[in-house]
Amino acid sequence: MKEFTDQDIERIEQAIEAGDVQTARSEMDELHPADIAELFRTLNLRQAEWIFNLVSDETKADVLMELDEDDRKKVLEGMNPEQIGHFIDMLDTDDAVDLIQELDKDERQEVISHIDDMEQAGNIVDLLQYDEDTAGGLMGTEMIVVNENWSMPQCIKEMRAQAEDLDDIYNIYVVDDEERLLGILPLKKMITDPSVSKIKRVMDPEPRSVSTDTPIDEVALDFEKYDLVAMPVVDTIGRLVGQITVDDVMDEVREQSERDYQLASGLATDVDADDSILAQTRARIPWLLIGIVSGILASLILAGFESQMAAVTALALFIPIIGGTGGNVGVQASAIVVQGLANGSLEVKEFGRQLGKEVLIGLLNATVIATVILVYNLVMLPGDFAVTLSVALSLFVVVMFATLCGTVVPLTLEKLHINPALATGPFIQISNDIVGLVIYVFISKWCLQVFGA
């Protein structure tokens, strides 16, 4: 297939406007399904439907899975359950399950009833039972499986028969008579040992596998750690039930990264740049309103400190520094913890060790920051020792609190099975702003009482 260029888009758009079916079909036949899906983003719904109807049914099925979820939903809305079932028939089971899960629950059963391949339909029904955030929900059932007692000639014959229905071959799995996973047959052995009596004599035993209930993030870490392209999935008694491929893992990692980034940015729901104004507003407004509430709380705290502020106006000058420093320190600490939880370098059971490490880091940061502001104020405000001391002490305490908060909150969220990425966004920023202001008010009151205004 040729490389997709802006010139291709221009020619196809011209063919659409002219109603030139032959030219448009010729252009589309040379494009990869992913390129066709990319083309859809530049077209309106009428043009996209016109183009979609020009490609073969098999290509339509692949294009559907390459489309963004919102675009796919628009295309599916124009189809009846029979048409959707027809396209699902052409997909691998893992893709078919992903597509069905996007349908309304009352529509799923009707769509499945229109799948012609009963084995495919049965596999889909089985896979729908698994949680979509586990290995069972991510796996597909298309793979090559051979028995340990087969000879090499028999194995090759069976492999050829099974391979006819597969687009790609990653591994050849060896099972026993009870379908329990025993090993993987290296392709090299088929060449170097073509006359071996039993497959079990040349297989690689005890392959790395995951169970159906293994969380997806753990699966992704295994793929990265061991440089895998595919991994078998087994049930509770070790029977081979499917495999996960690297492309599925990469898609899931990308989607998870996008969700975490948006959550850390203060977006309540998953949105894209081309979503409607209303959809984007709904995603943004919750945390903005929470920010307004925190601002009101801050103003109430300062109202109780109004007389001291009026007497010593210099105190008000340092409020942005207190709030900004606390927020920055908290976000830094939480970002490191969240990253560690995501890439497997940190686990919840290491709570104490990580907390101790962050306490030391917080002490160093707090000492440096407090010393800098202390020296600055001694030079710039030589006659206001109470203000100088209150700002330095407040920054020290605020940095320590923010460091601990940024460490404890994501670890606690992870333990409660809540996405810890929440702790790197407005949640931690707002929390540190409010607490930092309270700390500043109380320390300043104490310093003013002890050392005078």
Side-chain angles (χ1 to χ4, degrees):
M1 292 186 177
K2 69 176 184 178
E3 183 180 355
F4 189 49
T5 65
D6 291 339
Q7 288 73 27
D8 295 321
I9 295 176
E10 186 177 346
R11 283 195 299 271
I12 293 172
E13 288 179 339
Q14 290 174 352
I16 293 173
E17 293 304 318
D20 188 346
V21 174
Q22 184 174 353
T23 299
R25 179 176 284 120
S26 176
E27 292 286 341
M28 300 293 286
D29 286 344
E30 298 184 33
L31 296 180
H32 188 277
D35 292 328
I36 298 176
E38 182 181 342
L39 173 65
F40 271 37
R41 288 194 284 272
T42 69
L43 305 176
N44 59 43
L45 184 58
R46 180 190 62 81
Q47 293 173 324
E49 289 177 344
W50 192 82
I51 285 293
F52 189 73
N53 290 327
L54 294 182
V55 299
S56 66
D57 284 353
E58 186 172 352
T59 302
K60 286 178 183 176
D62 291 333
V63 170
L64 275 175
M65 297 313 302
E66 296 289 349
L67 289 173
D68 290 336
E69 187 174 338
D70 291 339
D71 290 334
R72 181 162 56 246
K73 184 177 180 180
K74 293 175 184 177
V75 174
L76 292 176
E77 285 175 350
M79 298 182 186
N80 58 48
E82 185 175 358
Q83 291 174 310
I84 298 175
H86 175 66
F87 290 128
I88 287 177
D89 229 345
M90 303 177 186
L91 295 172
D92 289 341
T93 49
D94 55 340
D95 289 333
V97 169
D98 289 342
L99 192 151
I100 288 177
Q101 286 176 333
E102 295 175 12
L103 302 175
D104 295 333
K105 289 186 177 181
D106 55 353
E107 189 179 8
R108 294 178 185 178
Q109 192 60 45
E110 187 174 0
V111 168
I112 293 174
S113 68
H114 288 290
I115 298 176
D116 294 331
D117 187 338
M118 296 306 296
E119 182 179 357
Q120 168 88 332
N123 288 334
I124 291 172
V125 170
D126 290 340
L127 292 179
L128 284 171
Q129 309 304 314
Y130 297 110
D131 188 324
E132 60 182 325
D133 292 325
T134 64
L138 187 63
M139 72 180 182
T141 58
E142 292 81 11
M143 54 189 170
I144 292 183
V145 183
V146 299
N147 188 280
E148 62 172 332
N149 295 313
W150 289 352
S151 64
M152 189 64 75
Q154 182 182 4
C155 176
I156 293 175
K157 179 181 178 181
E158 292 289 342
M159 285 173 53
R160 286 173 177 168
Q162 295 179 36
E164 290 181 0
D165 298 325
L166 301 181
D167 294 326
D168 299 292
I169 299 174
Y170 296 93
N171 289 324
I172 301 167
Y173 301 110
V174 182
V175 299
D176 61 15
D177 293 334
E178 304 298 327
E179 301 297 324
R180 288 188 293 261
L181 178 66
L182 298 179
I184 292 178
L185 175 63
L187 293 175
K188 180 180 178 180
K189 295 292 185 179
M190 297 175 59
I191 300 173
T192 58
D193 295 307
S195 59
V196 66
S197 58
K198 300 287 185 182
I199 294 300
K200 62 183 176 183
R201 303 188 189 282
V202 293
M203 71 179 184
D204 290 339
E206 300 181 358
R208 183 163 299 280
S209 63
V210 292
S211 61
T212 53
D213 59 354
T214 303
I216 287 178
D217 53 353
E218 293 184 19
V219 175
L221 290 176
D222 280 347
F223 267 81
E224 180 183 14
K225 182 178 181 179
Y226 300 106
D227 295 325
L228 303 174
V229 294
M231 180 183 286
V233 182
V234 298
D235 63 14
T236 54
I237 60 174
R239 290 177 302 189
L240 179 65
V241 292
Q243 74 168 351
I244 298 173
T245 58
V246 66
D247 57 321
D248 296 322
V249 172
M250 291 303 297
D251 288 342
E252 193 63 35
V253 169
R254 176 182 57 80
E255 290 177 7
Q256 182 63 47
S257 297
E258 290 176 354
R259 288 195 294 268
D260 288 351
Y261 180 78
Q262 292 191 345
L263 186 61
S265 301
L267 296 176
T269 58
D270 187 15
V271 292
D272 292 314
D274 58 353
D275 283 344
S276 68
I277 293 174
L278 185 60
Q280 293 202 38
T281 301
R282 282 199 302 264
R284 300 182 190 190
I285 201 66
W287 274 111
L288 296 179
L289 291 176
I290 293 173
I292 292 294
V293 173
S294 72
I296 294 173
L297 289 175
S299 67
L300 293 174
I301 293 169
L302 291 176
F305 194 51
E306 186 175 2
S307 59
Q308 287 85 350
M309 287 289 181
V312 186
T313 55
L315 287 172
L317 300 177
F318 295 95
I319 291 176
I321 294 178
I322 299 294
T325 303
N328 288 337
V329 170
V331 169
Q332 285 181 344
S334 62
I336 291 173
V337 173
V338 170
Q339 184 183 37
L341 292 170
N343 61 29
S345 62
L346 176 64
E347 297 182 9
V348 177
K349 63 183 180 182
E350 299 173 313
F351 191 107
R353 181 183 67 82
Q354 184 64 23
L355 187 60
K357 185 177 181 180
E358 287 296 331
V359 167
L360 294 177
I361 294 172
L363 284 171
L364 289 173
N365 287 337
T367 301
V368 171
I369 292 172
T371 301
V372 169
I373 201 68
L374 180 65
V375 171
Y376 172 82
N377 281 346
L378 286 173
V379 174
M380 301 302 296
L381 302 171
D384 291 332
F385 182 71
V387 173
T388 298
L389 184 61
S390 63
V391 174
L393 284 176
S394 296
L395 273 174
F396 185 92
V397 177
V398 165
V399 169
M400 287 302 302
F401 171 81
T403 301
L404 295 176
C405 182
T407 304
V408 171
V409 170
L411 286 170
T412 302
L413 291 175
E414 176 72 10
K415 194 168 185 178
L416 296 174
H417 304 292
I418 300 172
N419 193 335
L422 178 66
T424 60
F427 176 82
I428 206 80
Q429 183 85 38
I430 292 171
S431 300
N432 283 317
D433 284 350
I434 296 296
V435 175
L437 195 55
V438 171
I439 291 171
Y440 184 44
V441 165
F442 279 98
I443 289 179
S444 297
K445 276 187 175 183
W446 178 80
C447 287
L448 291 173
Q449 289 171 358
V450 174
F451 298 100

